[in-house]
Amino acid sequence: MSYKRVIKIDGPVMIAQGDADFAMHDVVYIGKEGLLGEVIKIEEDKATIQVYEETSGMKIGDEVYGTSESLSIYLGPGIIGKVFDGIERPLNKIKELSGDFIKRGINIPGVDLEKLWHFMPKAYVGQEVSSGTIIGEVDETKTIKNKIMIPNGISGKIVSIVQEGDYQAKETIAEVEDENGNKVQVSMVQKWPVRIPRPYKNRLIANIPLVTGQRVIDTFFPIAKGGTAAIPGGFGTGKTMLQHQLARWSDADIIIYIGCGERGNEMTQVLEDFPKLQDPKNNQSLMERTILIANTSNMPVAAREASIYTGITIGEYYRDMGYHVAIMADSTSRWAEALREISGRLEEMPAEEGFPSYLPSRLSEFYGRAGMVETNSNQIGSVSIIGAVSPQGSDFSEPVTQNTKRFVHVFWGLDRTLAYSRHYPAVNWIISYSEYIDNLDDWYKENIDEKFMEDRKMMLKLLTEENELLEISRVVGQDVLSDSKKLILEVCRAIRLGFLQQSAVAKEDSSVPLIKQYKMMESVLNIYNKSLELIEKGIPISEIKNLNIFEKFLKIKYEVGNDELDKIDDIDKEINKKISTLEKEYKEHI
Amino acid sequence: MRIEYLGIEGINGPLIFIETPKEISYNEQVELILKSGEHRLGNVISVTEKITTIQVYEGTEGINIKDTKVILKGKPITLKLSEDMLGRIFDGTGKPIDDFGLLNSSIEREINGSPINPVSRTYPRNFIETGISSIDGLITLIRGQKLPIFSGSGINHNELTERIIRNASIKDSSKFAIVFGLMGAEFEVAQFFKKSFKESGVLSKVVMFQNLSNDPTIERILTPKVALTCAEYLAFDLGYQVLVVLSDMTSYAESLREISTLKGEIPSRKGYPGYLYSDFASIYERAGMIEGLEGSITELPILTMPNDDISHPIPDLTGYITEGQIVLGREMFQKGINPPINILDSLSRLMKDAITDEHNKISSQLFSSYSKVQDVRALAKVLGENDLSEIDKKYLVFGNEFENKFINQSKFERRTLEETLLLAKEILKVLPESELDRI
C-alpha cells in the first residue's frame, strides 16, 4: 500500500509528501500510533493534513496512509444518550481504555457494532425500496424508535429480510437487489461523510414554532422548527445557561448539544444534570432523547472544527426518520476560532480580524443544513440550529457575529447590562428579532389565541416606547413626563420583572406553557388599558400605583402553577375590582 | 535515547535553527551544551525536512554556531515530581534554586499534560471561604474552579491574592497545597509573597516556580505548564487540595507573541498568535476535580489588562475559558476601597450550585440594586443630587454603604459567610421594601 511521508510538522498541521494518491478531505492515519488526520490541501505530491490529535513526538518521515474515504461517522441505533468527542468517539469508552486523561491514537466507532437490538421488520420481500426507505425499527431508548433506513445510493427490490428478533447492529438484516441483479447487504448501521448534507425529498416552509417554554423567546422572538437562531453575548451574559434551558425544555424530539470548545466543568454539569432531569413530555430522563458532543477547549483543535459537522450529521440522520431535532452549538465562535487557528498554520492570507476569507461561506453551509423537510420516506422531519456566538471583546460588529447574522433568521442578542443587573435571560428586546413571525402567525392564532400576535405587538410597542422614554428621562428626569408616559414606564417595569425575567431554577417559572404566556400578556395589558382609562379621567398615576396592582401581576409567575391557570383570572378580577373601586371613589370625590 | 549533534545553522532571539536530524520528533526536549560547559533547556517547536526550530528557554546569550552541542532527549520536556517539592523554590523551568539541592525522585511527567476526559470530571460544588465579603457573597470561589483576577497596572492585586491564599488555606486540613507560578514578576512581588507565606505559616505548603522580570522571557512559556504538572501530581496522585496561582498571564502571553513573531507566524488580534485561545485553554482547563479522586485543582490566574481594557485579547480569551472573573477597578482603587473589586464586571459561574437559596437571593438582589446605583449616579451627575427622587436618593446612600462597608474590608478582618450575609441584609435595609424584588 502506498503512502506519503511527513516532511513538516507545526502544531496540529502536517505536510506529507509521496506517491500515494490522496483526495481532498480524505481521512489518513499517521505514524505508528495511527493518529487520525484529514487532508485539507493538496499541492503536487504534497498534502497538508490537519491532525485530530496532539502531535508531540511525531517525526519527519513518519508514514501517512490514506483511506480514500472522507471524514465519516457511524450512524445507527445506540447514539442517543451517549457522549462523544468532536469526531464521534464515545468518551466513556475512551475512559475505559485510557483512564481519566485522554490519550491519543484511540479509534473506536461511535456506534457499538456488536450490541444486540430487537429488530422489528417493516418491509417485505419484493418491496421496492430506495435510499431512505424505512425497512424496520428498534427501540433505541424508552422514548425514541430508531427507524432503520436503506443507506444512500442503494435502491431496488428486497430479496430477503430477517424476522423480528435480536440482531447485532452490524449484522445483515436485509438484502436488496438492484436493476442489474447486484445484491447489496443492509445492516442497521451506515456511514456518512460529515461534511456532506444528507439528502431529502423536499424542503418545506418552517411554520410550526419550536416551543421552548421561555417567554421572551416563545412570545417575542420565536424560532420555527427547522429554523436557525443565534445567541450572541459576551462572557458572563448567560449564553450557556440559556442553551441549557433550551436543551431542557424545547419541544423537539431529539436534542443534540455540541459543546464546541466549551469549559470542561460546564460540560460536566450537563453530563450530571441531564440524566437527572425529566423530559416534560413523558417523564423519562432527558438523556433518553439527548446526544452530547463534548470537545472541550483543551481537546485537539481540529476535532473542535469537526464537531459541529458531526453534530449536524447525527441531527440529519434522525430527521430522516421523521423526528424534530434541535441542535445547540455552544459556541460557534470557538469553532470559527479553530478555523482561524488552522488557517494561520496554513499561512493563508487572513481576511477580517485574522479569520480566513472562507468564514462566511462555511457559516452559511452550516446554517443551511437546518430546515423542515419531507424526507425520502415521506415523513416530516426538521433540524433546527441554535448557535451561541461569543463575540470577541463583546463587540457585536466582529466578523463571526456579523456573518452569523446574515445566515440566521432569529437573533437573540444578549446584553451585558441586563446580565449585570441579573435580568435573565438577558435577551435584549430592542436588538433581537425573529424573521419567522409571519410564517408562524397562523399557528399561534389557531393553537393559542386569535389575539396572541396582536398582544405581542402591543407589548413590543410599549417596550420600545419605554426605551425612548428612559433615554429622555435620563436627561430631564422622570418628573416632567406626563402621567400616561409614566404609566408606560410602570407597565414596562412590570413586563420586564414579571414577564421577561424568567428564573431557570424556580419550579413553576423554569418553563412556561404558551397559554400561560398568553394569559400573562393579557393580564398586564389589561392593567395598562384600564389604568390608561383612569389617567384619561384625570386620576393621578400615584393613586394607581398605590393600588399595588403591579405587584399582583409580578406574583403570577411564581405563584400560579402551570396547571392552575384559572388563578390568573382570579387575579385579574381582583385587579379589576381595585381599579373600579378607585374609579368610583374618585367620582364621588368630585 | 541520547543523540548528540554539533553545530547550529542560525540563531534568532530565543530560537535556534539546526539542520533536521534524522530521528528528531516534534515537541522533543533538547539540551544544549555551550562551549563553557553550561547546559540550557529547549524544545522542538517546528520541523521541516531541512530545518528544525528549537526554542531555548534560558535564552541564547553566549550560544555560538560552531561549538554548541545539541542533545536530543527523545521525549518531550518532563518534570521530576515528589511530595518534597512542598516548601521548595524552583526556577521557571522547574530547576531548584533554593539551597536544598536537587530533587530526588523517580517520578517524571510530561509537562504538557493531557486533557481530562469530560466524563471523568465531577462538577465542583464545594465552596471555599475566603473571608472577603465581596468574594464570598457575590463571586463565590469554588473548589475546582478557575477564577482569574483581572487587574490593571498599579492596582494592588497582589494584596488581594495574598489575602485569598492566607484565608483559604488556614481553614482547611493539612492536605492543602499552594502552587505558585510567577511569570515576569518583579523581585519585590516575589519577596512580598514569600514574606507573607512565612508570616502566616503556610510556607511549608507552597511550591514556588519563579520567573522574575530579569529572567529570560522565554522561560515563562514553561512556567504555567510545570506549575500545573506539579499541581496535578499533588492533587490527583497525592490527594491534596491545590490552589494554583499564576501571575502574571499577560507576561506569559507576551512571551508567546514574541516567539510567534520570530517564527514568522501570521498574527491574529493585536499581534498575538491565532492559537492563543487554545494555548490558554491548555493551561486553564487543567483545573478541576476527577470522579473518585480526593484532590482538586483550583486556579487563580492573575492578569493585568493592558490599558485597563477588558476587551483586550488576553482578558477576553481568558474570560471565555475561565468560570467567571474577579475584576479590579481603577475607580474603586482610587476611591480607596480595598479590595478594589468592580462588582458589576465580576462573576463566578459556578457559585449558583454551591450556595444556599438565601445566599443566591441576597447576591442577586445586591447585584441588581448596585447596578441601579450606577444609573442613579449618572442621573445625579446631570441633575444634581438634590433633584433626585426620594427613592433615588436612597439608592445613593445604599451605593456608598455597600462600597464602604461591604466591599471595603480591612486587611486583617475576616468575615464568615454568615457575617457577610447578615451585613448584606443590614445594608439592603437602606432601600424601601418595594425596591427589593429579588428577596
Side-chain angles (χ1 to χ4, degrees), chain B residues 44-59:
Chain B
V44 176
I45 55 170
S46 151
V47 271
T48 67
E49 262 184 313
K50 290 195 183 108
I51 296 290
T52 293
T53 312
I54 295 168
Q55 66 185 6
V56 185
Y57 290 108
E58 287 133 312

Side-chain angles (χ1 to χ4, degrees), chain B residues 198-216:
Chain B
K198 205 178 242 168
E199 279 167 6
S200 52
V202 292
L203 195 60
S204 62
K205 291 180 180 172
V206 180
V207 188
M208 195 132 175
F209 296 92
Q210 65 173 35
N211 163 279
L212 300 182
S213 53
N214 54 348
D215 289 332

Side-chain angles (χ1 to χ4, degrees), chain B residues 98-285:
Chain B
D98 51 13
D99 303 329
F100 305 108
L102 286 172
L103 200 67
N104 198 0
S105 167
S106 56
I107 301 165
E108 240 181 299
R109 296 264 164 86
E110 287 182 18
I111 61 161
N112 285 317
S114 307
I116 303 178
N117 191 328
V119 299
S120 287
R121 286 181 183 264
T122 30
Y123 187 64
R125 290 175 201 277
N126 296 328
F127 144 77
I128 301 178
E129 192 177 273
T130 64
I132 301 167
S133 289
S134 42
I135 295 181
D136 291 349
L138 300 163
I139 327 157
T140 319
L141 180 64
I142 310 295
R143 187 166 288 159
Q145 184 176 23
K146 37 195 180 296
L147 189 66
I149 298 178
F150 289 4
S151 180
S153 35
I155 298 178
N156 57 349
H157 52 263
N158 291 322
E159 195 190 308
L160 174 63
T161 316
E162 190 268 332
R163 269 168 90 162
I164 295 177
I165 293 172
R166 182 157 41 87
N167 290 329
S169 59
I170 288 170
K171 221 195 150 194
D172 221 272
S173 63
S174 57
K175 278 282 198 188
F176 189 95
I178 296 156
V179 176
F180 213 95
L182 283 170
M183 292 154 278
E186 302 291 322
F187 174 76
E188 286 78 10
V189 174
Q191 280 323 97
F192 166 78
F193 279 113
K194 274 182 222 165
K195 188 168 155 266
S196 67
F197 290 155
K198 205 178 242 168
E199 279 167 6
S200 52
V202 292
L203 195 60
S204 62
K205 291 180 180 172
V206 180
V207 188
M208 195 132 175
F209 296 92
Q210 65 173 35
N211 163 279
L212 300 182
S213 53
N214 54 348
D215 289 332
T217 51
I218 191 76
E219 188 183 292
R220 283 165 211 163
I221 293 190
L222 283 186
T223 311
K225 294 184 178 127
V226 292
L228 284 158
T229 306
C230 171
E232 277 173 3
Y233 174 72
L234 292 173
F236 302 132
D237 286 58
L238 303 179
Y240 277 88
Q241 311 300 330
V242 186
L243 182 66
V244 181
V245 181
L246 299 170
S247 174
D248 166 330
M249 289 304 289
T250 308
S251 308
Y252 169 82
E254 274 161 5
S255 295
L256 212 59
R257 175 167 69 175
E258 201 178 317
I259 292 289
S260 166
T261 322
L262 286 170
K263 270 174 82 185
E265 289 173 342
I266 291 178
S268 178
R269 291 159 74 193
K270 300 223 172 183
Y272 289 94
Y275 48 81
L276 185 64
Y277 173 80
S278 299
D279 194 278
F280 272 171
S282 73
I283 293 171
Y284 298 139
E285 276 292 341

Side-chain angles (χ1 to χ4, degrees), chain A residues 212-216 241-242 245 248-249 422-426 496-512 516 520 554 557-558 562, chain B residues 352 357 360-361 364 437-438:
Chain A
T212 65
Q214 311 304 305
R215 285 185 292 261
V216 63
M241 196 63 210
L242 185 57
Q245 282 294 91
R248 223 174 261 187
W249 295 112
R422 299 304 187 257
H423 172 119
Y424 290 123
R496 280 188 282 116
L497 296 178
F499 191 86
L500 292 171
Q501 280 186 21
Q502 192 167 351
S503 162
V505 287
K507 196 173 149 272
E508 294 298 344
D509 204 33
S510 191
S511 170
V512 178
K516 182 173 171 191
M520 286 171 79
L554 293 184
K557 67 174 176 176
Y558 293 126
N562 287 333
Chain B
K352 60 183 187 301
D357 200 32
N360 239 327
K361 283 180 178 163
S364 167
D437 44 20
R438 307 296 171 102

Side-chain angles (χ1 to χ4, degrees), chain A residues 6-12 17 54-60 83 91-92 94-95 98-103 233-241 260-269 271-273 276 294-301 304 334 337 340-341 343-350 353-354 389-394 416-417 420-424 473-479 493 497 501 505 551 554, chain B residues 1 20-28 45-50 76 110 112 114-125 138 144-146 150 232 236 263-269 274-278 281-282 285-291 293 310-311 315-325 343-350 352-353 363-364 367-368 371 375 379 382-383 387 389 434-435 437-438:
Chain A
V6 173
I7 59 163
K8 185 182 175 193
I9 309 170
D10 184 9
Q17 189 176 28
E54 165 65 39
T55 52
S56 287
M58 301 307 289
K59 291 184 166 58
I60 296 294
V83 188
L91 286 171
N92 283 307
I94 292 184
K95 186 182 172 185
S98 80
D100 295 328
F101 294 89
I102 299 176
K103 302 275 153 34
F235 57 81
T237 47
K239 261 188 323 290
T240 304
M241 196 63 210
C260 172
E262 258 289 281
R263 300 175 178 87
N265 281 332
E266 271 176 10
M267 221 50 236
T268 308
Q269 188 191 11
L271 297 179
E272 285 183 11
D273 284 0
K276 281 184 242 157
N295 212 90
T296 57
S297 56
N298 57 339
M299 285 158 77
V301 63
R304 192 197 312 157
R334 301 285 86 90
E337 212 134 353
R340 172 162 73 179
E341 187 172 331
S343 159
R345 302 267 191 187
L346 295 176
E347 298 179 355
E348 291 173 341
M349 188 64 80
E353 300 245 18
V389 184
S390 328
Q392 44 193 16
S394 299
R416 226 177 210 200
T417 337
Y420 285 165
S421 57
R422 299 304 187 257
H423 172 119
Y424 290 123
S473 65
R474 218 163 272 149
V475 184
V476 297
Q478 283 193 15
D479 292 340
R493 179 171 175 273
L497 296 178
Q501 280 186 21
V505 287
E551 281 66 22
L554 293 184
Chain B
M1 190 169 57
T20 299
K22 241 195 180 152
E23 272 304 311
I24 202 158
S25 57
Y26 181 69
N27 222 349
E28 181 169 358
I45 55 170
S46 151
V47 271
T48 67
E49 262 184 313
K50 290 195 183 108
E110 287 182 18
N112 285 317
S114 307
I116 303 178
N117 191 328
V119 299
S120 287
R121 286 181 183 264
T122 30
Y123 187 64
R125 290 175 201 277
L138 300 163
Q145 184 176 23
K146 37 195 180 296
F150 289 4
E232 277 173 3
F236 302 132
K263 270 174 82 185
E265 289 173 342
I266 291 178
S268 178
R269 291 159 74 193
Y275 48 81
L276 185 64
Y277 173 80
S278 299
S282 73
E285 276 292 341
R286 288 170 85 168
M289 290 161 81
I290 292 179
E291 208 180 341
L293 297 183
I310 200 170
S311 64
D316 193 43
L317 295 178
T318 298
Y320 279 124
I321 305 165
T322 55
E323 286 125 0
Q325 65 276 341
I343 292 297
L344 293 178
D345 282 353
S346 304
L347 168 79
S348 165
R349 289 167 174 271
L350 300 184
K352 60 183 187 301
D353 295 305
S363 79
S364 167
F367 268 113
S368 149
S371 97
D375 294 345
L379 189 63
V382 184
L383 294 180
D387 288 343
S389 70
S434 60
E435 292 298 306
D437 44 20
R438 307 296 171 102

